[in-house]
Amino acid sequence: MPRTIYYTATSLDGFIATDDHDLGWLLSRKSGEDGPLDYAAFIADVGAICMGANTYEWIHRHSHPADGTQPEPWPYEQPCWVFTHHDLRPWPGADVRPTSGPVEAVHAEMTAAAGGRDLWVVGGGDLAGQFLDAGLLDEVVVNIAPVTLGSGKPLLPRHAELRLIETVRSGEFVAARFEVVR
Ligand SMILES: NC(=O)c1ccc[n+]([C@@H]2O[C@H](COP(=O)([O-])OP(=O)(O)OC[C@H]3O[C@@H](n4cnc5c(N)ncnc54)[C@H](OP(=O)(O)O)[C@@H]3O)[C@@H](O)[C@H]2O)c1
């Protein structure tokens, strides 16, 4: 059965970005390249992706040089639904599908597009929470960085009951896979 997975990195105190959307605390650290939770193995099984508008904006901002030179390519091969109430900055050639939900309808579209592969909820935390609220989230996979931020964008601002499936050391990170208890 394809799974809907919230796969992300978090600070030890449960934030996925600082208040001003900085990820320096994350990108400055090395994760492992293999092991049961490694990214390459994970993404190979993903058939559709979704994210919120601020996550899309972060990727856009960090892939398009301010001096107008050639942007980096969109990083995903899979179709990507971006939840927003606004017009997104365009990314020519990227299969980006703006949507304003609801998550149930988008989940059905993603499942149809994924061809039996898993669905990845990239974030942010509230969007993952919307899938949880709808009973559509199967797993939470977190790569925990050895840092606390004190405040920031929350990992999953909900009460969620989870069952620990697997842990592994991944470079500087602890990676943990949880199943959502329904
Ligand atoms: N640590 C990691 O691995 C990791 C992973 C993912 C993201 N991040 C970072 O974490 C931060 C996440 O930002 P965030 O918490 O603000 O979350 P976000 O989900 O990226 O963006 C939130 C926005 O998404 C839109 N949205 C969410 N649900 C919607 C719905 N049902 N219908 C329509 N629009 C919806 C709204 O945009 P509108 O303003 O258009 O209404 C909302 O303001 C970003 O900086 C991102 O780069 C980190």
Side-chain angles (χ1 to χ4, degrees):
M1 278 290 286
R3 297 160 300 166
T4 301
I5 304 170
Y6 178 33
Y7 177 105
T8 190
T10 179
S11 67
L12 184 59
D13 54 347
F15 299 107
I16 61 169
T18 63
D19 291 310
D20 58 356
H21 296 282
D22 182 61
L23 294 181
W25 58 274
L26 170 62
L27 301 177
S28 59
R29 295 171 199 279
K30 284 200 186 330
S31 60
E33 289 176 1
D34 50 25
L37 300 181
D38 99 280
Y39 177 77
F42 165 75
I43 196 70
D45 286 338
V46 168
I49 293 174
C50 70
M51 64 181 64
N54 290 336
T55 298
Y56 175 82
E57 280 301 321
W58 188 96
I59 299 170
H60 197 288
R61 196 163 57 250
H62 288 82
S63 304
H64 289 71
D67 62 8
T69 52
Q70 185 70 14
E72 290 171 34
W74 172 247
Y76 307 115
E77 293 172 4
Q78 300 87 342
C80 179
W81 281 257
V82 178
F83 285 82
T84 187
H85 298 101
H86 301 95
D87 289 338
L88 296 174
R89 287 195 285 165
W91 198 322
D95 187 350
V96 170
R97 308 179 185 191
T99 181
S100 55
V103 291
E104 291 87 342
V106 175
H107 187 271
E109 289 176 32
M110 292 174 69
T111 301
R117 292 195 288 164
D118 294 334
L119 312 187
W120 179 18
V121 181
V122 179
D126 184 71
L127 181 62
Q130 294 174 49
F131 281 86
L132 180 81
D133 293 343
L136 294 171
L137 194 65
D138 299 308
E139 290 188 11
V140 177
V141 179
V142 286
N143 292 280
I144 304 167
V147 61
T148 59
L149 298 176
S151 68
K153 303 299 174 189
L155 170 65
L156 187 56
R158 297 291 194 282
H159 176 182
E161 295 290 338
L162 306 171
R163 182 181 302 117
L164 180 62
I165 303 297
E166 186 176 17
T167 59
V168 67
R169 179 176 181 150
S170 175
E172 295 181 54
F173 295 76
V174 172
R177 189 159 69 90
F178 300 89
E179 188 176 77
V180 174
V181 178
R182 293 204 168 88

